[in-house]
């Protein structure tokens, strides 16, 4: 491995280990690269970084975050949960399957994994415990299902990857859709097996009675379900850009929250705006420093040096892809998903291109691997947040969490990596890959 890159990564890991805020971790690594590089120019690098931040593509990130927070304040979760419960309530383990489906839908609306936990956890975890589910299992299931929001579009991670690598954002959205839906089915099947083994009771409400409630529940949930349809339909229909669709999503969330679900208030809008500004401010600082560090890597030719170094070790595509997956899994364990994309995409893209991997296919590989990283310690942001919501200890949740990750995310990482059509079938169908 090139010496500069190895020492830079060592500085980054050391700063992370002592608890330095993420933007400053990147800033410290960047200072080393600039000081010891023949192409270093800190002033010029800052100017370049701020020029990149005013790109209109990035405007969709705060808009999607704000729209998701407003929908969360509106009480959307109750309508979605009621609909899912009526459809799935007659099956064994129905409440767990309802949790999985609801988290996937809410995550797709917000583009964030934390939203699914925050919206469904307080409602569903106590209900699942009353039905006989173990609290650690219920918390682990909802945590894993909430990560589907990072894979089912619109995904903020894919916006960042597409922007950093110059890949079509629409193609990146589609590349992770099938893996996300397949994971949702795997979690539902796993939950059914758990419910059968632990004799979780089946709903005793007659089917005809449930069927009578379906139209009202569908009408109540329709405005919420329409939101991703508007966003994705507008984008894939060529009517709107991702930024325009994000703006429409934010505008759509206002009347839906105020007049349909009636959970959104002026105070709720203020809270949503404050939470969005805080999250986006931290995110943009990470993007700025991460982008500057990645650009310095490119100026010094480190991505190509890394590619040449690994290709000199082996030219076996399978071995190289396994090494790439291992590097991404390790990155996900120590960095959050967006930061991992900013760091690893420019570094690994020359290598994956050299071995014949389509950049859209790589979007799915990096998306699934780094999404899993939100559940694997030591970083594991969604895991720790879920533990607070579910009121469980780390030692209690680790067994069910590790089991679900090993049954779901690890096989999916390998499947996405070595089964190219899983990532490229939909983008190719739309002529995007």
């Amino acid at each position: 491995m090139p010496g500069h890159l190895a020492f830079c990564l060592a500085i980054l890991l050391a700063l992370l280990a002592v608890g330095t805020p993420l933007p400053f971790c990147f800033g410290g690594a960047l200072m080393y690269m600039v000081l010891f590089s023949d192409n270093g120019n800190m002033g010029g690098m800052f100017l370049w970084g701020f020029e990149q931040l005013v790109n209109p593509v990035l405007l969709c990130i705060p808009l999607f975050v704000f729209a998701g927070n407003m929908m969360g304040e509106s009480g959307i979760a109750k309508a979605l949960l009621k609909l899912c419960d009526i459809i799935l309530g007659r099956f064994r383990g129905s409440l767990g399957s309802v949790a999985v489906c609801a988290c996937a839908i809410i995550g797709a609306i917000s583009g964030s994994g934390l939203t699914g936990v925050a919206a469904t956890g307080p409602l569903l975890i106590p209900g699942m415990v009353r039905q006989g589910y173990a609290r650690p299992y219920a918390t682990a299931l909802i945590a894993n299902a909430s990560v589907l929001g990072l894979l089912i579009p619109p995904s903020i991670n894919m916006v960042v990857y597409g922007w950093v690598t110059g890949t079509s954002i629409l193609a990146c959205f589609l590349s992770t859709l099938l893996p996300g839906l397949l994971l949702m089915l795997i979690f539902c099947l796993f939950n059914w097996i758990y419910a059968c083994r632990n004799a979780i009771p089946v709903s005793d409400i007659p089917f005809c009675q449930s069927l009578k409630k379906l139209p009202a529940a569908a009408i109540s949930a329709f405005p919420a379900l329409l939101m991703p349809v508007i966003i994705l339909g507008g984008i894939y229909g060529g009517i709107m850009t991702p930024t325009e669709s994000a703006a429409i999503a934010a505008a759509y969330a206002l009347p839906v929250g105020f007049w349909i679900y009636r959970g959104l208030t002026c105070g709720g809008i203020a809270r949503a705006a404050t939470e969005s500004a805080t999250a986006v401010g931290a995110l943009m600082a990470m993007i700025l420093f991460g982008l500057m560090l990645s650009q310095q890597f490119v100026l010094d030719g480190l991505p190509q040096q890394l590619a040449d170094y690994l290709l000199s070790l082996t030219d076996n595509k399978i071995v190289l892809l396994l090494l790439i997956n291992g590097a991404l899994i390790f990155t996900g364990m120590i960095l959050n998903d967006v930061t991992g994309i900013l760091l690893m995409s420019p570094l690994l893209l020359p290598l994956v291109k050299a071995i014949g991997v389509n950049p859209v296919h790589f979007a799915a590989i990096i998306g699934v691997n780094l999404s899993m990283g939100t559940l694997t310690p030591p970083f594991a942001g969604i895991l720790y947040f879920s533990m607070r919501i579910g009121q469980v200890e780390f030692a209690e949740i680790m067994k069910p969490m590790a089991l679900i990750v090993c049954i779901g995310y690890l096989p999916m990482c390998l499947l996405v990596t070595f089964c190219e059509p899983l990532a490229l079938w939909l983008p190719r169908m739309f002529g995007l890959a």
Side-chain angles (χ1 to χ4, degrees), residues 17-60:
V18 298
T20 307
L22 278 171
F24 298 111
C25 294
F26 278 94
L30 174 65
M31 286 183 65
Y32 165 79
M33 292 298 296
V34 170
L35 289 173
F36 293 94
S37 169
D38 295 333
N39 303 304
N41 183 343
M42 185 65 81
M45 188 61 70
F46 265 104
L47 288 174
W48 177 86
F50 280 109
E51 285 176 2
Q52 304 310 304
L53 283 184
V54 298
N55 191 312
V57 172
L58 288 183
L59 185 59
C60 68

Side-chain angles (χ1 to χ4, degrees), residues 386-407:
S386 302
M387 287 166 53
R388 290 200 300 271
I389 295 291
Q391 298 178 356
V392 296
E393 298 297 325
F394 185 78
E396 296 174 317
I397 199 174
M398 276 316 298
K399 182 178 178 180
M401 177 64 70
L403 184 60
I404 299 174
V405 167
C406 290
I407 288 175

Side-chain angles (χ1 to χ4, degrees), residues 165-415:
T165 61
T167 308
S168 165
I169 292 175
L170 308 187
C172 294
F173 279 172
L174 288 173
S175 71
T176 57
L177 178 56
L178 284 182
L181 294 176
L182 186 55
L183 275 170
M184 184 176 73
L185 293 176
I186 291 171
F187 293 153
C188 288
L189 178 60
F190 176 79
N191 178 74
W192 176 77
I193 295 171
Y194 174 92
C196 291
R197 292 187 62 182
N198 291 274
I200 303 297
V202 180
S203 172
D204 56 0
I205 299 175
F207 177 72
C208 293
Q209 186 175 340
S210 296
L211 202 61
K212 289 178 182 178
K213 297 179 179 179
L214 181 59
I219 292 171
S220 177
F222 180 74
L225 296 173
L226 192 60
M227 188 172 181
V229 173
I230 291 172
I231 295 170
L232 299 179
I235 293 174
Y236 297 129
I239 303 170
M240 298 178 286
T241 65
T243 303
E244 291 166 345
S245 70
I248 288 175
Y252 177 77
L254 281 169
V256 169
F258 264 122
W259 298 311
I260 297 179
Y261 294 118
R262 300 181 182 180
L264 189 62
T265 62
C266 292
I269 293 177
R271 282 192 300 273
T274 302
E275 291 173 8
S276 301
T278 303
V280 171
L283 182 61
M284 287 303 177
M286 282 193 298
I287 287 177
L288 174 63
F289 283 103
L291 194 64
M292 289 164 60
L293 181 59
S294 299
Q295 179 66 8
Q296 190 62 51
F297 285 164
V298 172
L299 290 175
D300 290 343
L302 290 179
Q304 192 58 52
Q305 292 177 41
L306 178 62
D308 293 340
Y309 172 75
L310 290 175
L311 288 171
S312 71
L313 297 176
T314 177
D315 58 357
N316 187 302
K317 183 176 179 179
I318 293 176
V319 173
L320 287 169
L321 285 173
L322 288 174
L323 288 173
I324 288 169
N325 274 270
L328 291 174
I329 290 172
F330 176 73
T331 301
M333 291 172 68
I334 61 172
L335 297 173
N336 68 36
D337 44 340
V338 173
T339 310
I341 288 173
L342 288 168
L343 179 65
M344 300 304 288
S345 298
L347 272 178
L348 294 177
L349 197 59
L351 174 60
V352 298
K353 285 182 177 179
I355 61 177
V357 175
N358 190 303
V360 177
H361 182 197
F362 186 53
I365 294 172
I366 198 170
V368 174
N369 272 283
L370 293 181
S371 295
M372 183 177 69
T374 62
L375 301 167
T376 50
F379 188 81
I382 290 180
L383 170 62
Y384 300 141
F385 183 64
S386 302
M387 287 166 53
R388 290 200 300 271
I389 295 291
Q391 298 178 356
V392 296
E393 298 297 325
F394 185 78
E396 296 174 317
I397 199 174
M398 276 316 298
K399 182 178 178 180
M401 177 64 70
L403 184 60
I404 299 174
V405 167
C406 290
I407 288 175
Y409 284 101
L410 274 178
M412 186 56 60
C413 288
L414 296 175
L415 192 59

Side-chain angles (χ1 to χ4, degrees), residues 136-166:
Y137 168 81
T139 305
L141 182 67
I142 288 178
N144 278 271
S146 296
V147 177
L148 298 174
L150 304 176
L151 299 174
I152 299 175
S155 166
I156 292 173
N157 288 0
M158 290 299 100
V159 172
V160 174
Y161 173 85
W163 173 66
V164 169
T165 61

